[in-house]
């Protein structure tokens, strides 16, 4: 159980730090220029917090835990990438299908970002957990 708690905390730190840089420094203009008219003035921080808590649990269950059980960094990265791809694609493709002004480029960029971010976070979650436990 300690190993899974460690995996959660390690994965969460990586995911939050990297996503913070992406959202606050790198992609702010990209999203604002394309979907700014859909954004709230201030994000709902409770909902955002719930997303991060739930999403990292998913990365740990579907990517980090299997990689720890098999002692394979590759499993963490591949499963993390697949988890990120399918979850971000579900969100973005649904938005593209149902929202009037959702640009396809936002779907493509966001799904790619979710895939890379989840793969990296799972891989680092695995490495950091192995280092500590």
């Amino acid at each position: 159980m300690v190993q899974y708690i460690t995996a959660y905390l390690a994965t969460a730190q990586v995911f939050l730090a990297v996503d913070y840089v992406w959202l606050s420094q790198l992609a702010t203009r990209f999203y604002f220029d394309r979907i700014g008219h859909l954004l709230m003035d201030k994000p709902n921080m409770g909902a955002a917090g719930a997303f991060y808590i739930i999403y990292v649990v998913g990365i740990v269950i579907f990517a980090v835990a299997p990689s720890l059980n098999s002692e394979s960094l590759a499993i963490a990265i591949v499963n993390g990438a697949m988890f990120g791809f399918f979850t971000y694609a579900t969100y973005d493709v649904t938005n593209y299908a149902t929202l009037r002004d959702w640009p396809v480029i936002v779907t493509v960029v966001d799904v790619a970002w979710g895939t890379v971010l989840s793969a990296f976070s799972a891989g680092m979650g695995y490495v950091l957990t192995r280092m500590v436990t």
Side-chain angles (χ1 to χ4, degrees):
M1 186 62 149
V2 170
Q3 188 178 44
Y4 295 119
I5 292 169
T6 302
Y8 180 85
L9 295 174
T11 305
Q13 285 180 340
V14 172
F15 189 90
L16 290 169
V18 176
D19 205 35
Y20 174 78
V21 171
W22 170 255
L23 292 173
S24 68
Q25 306 297 316
L26 302 173
T28 303
R29 289 285 354 143
F30 172 79
Y31 289 113
F32 188 78
D33 289 349
R34 287 156 184 84
I35 59 171
H37 62 287
L38 298 173
L39 299 176
M40 298 168 59
D41 292 334
K42 292 181 79 175
N44 179 330
M45 297 308 283
F51 162 77
Y52 283 111
I53 290 167
I54 294 165
Y55 194 84
V56 173
V57 167
I59 294 173
V60 171
I61 289 171
F62 293 108
V64 180
S67 70
L68 290 169
N69 291 335
S70 63
E71 298 182 1
S72 171
L73 174 60
I75 287 176
I77 294 169
V78 170
N79 286 6
M82 289 191 313
F83 181 76
F85 175 81
F86 288 116
T87 55
Y88 274 68
T90 299
Y91 170 78
D92 283 289
V93 174
T94 299
N95 285 344
Y96 185 65
T98 61
L99 299 178
R100 183 170 295 133
D101 294 323
W102 190 268
V104 70
I105 190 65
V106 170
T107 298
V108 171
V109 168
D110 205 46
V111 170
W113 172 245
T115 302
V116 170
L117 174 61
S118 300
F120 180 74
S121 298
M124 290 303 297
Y126 169 78
V127 168
L128 294 169
T129 302
R130 289 292 308 265
M131 289 172 57
V132 174
T133 59

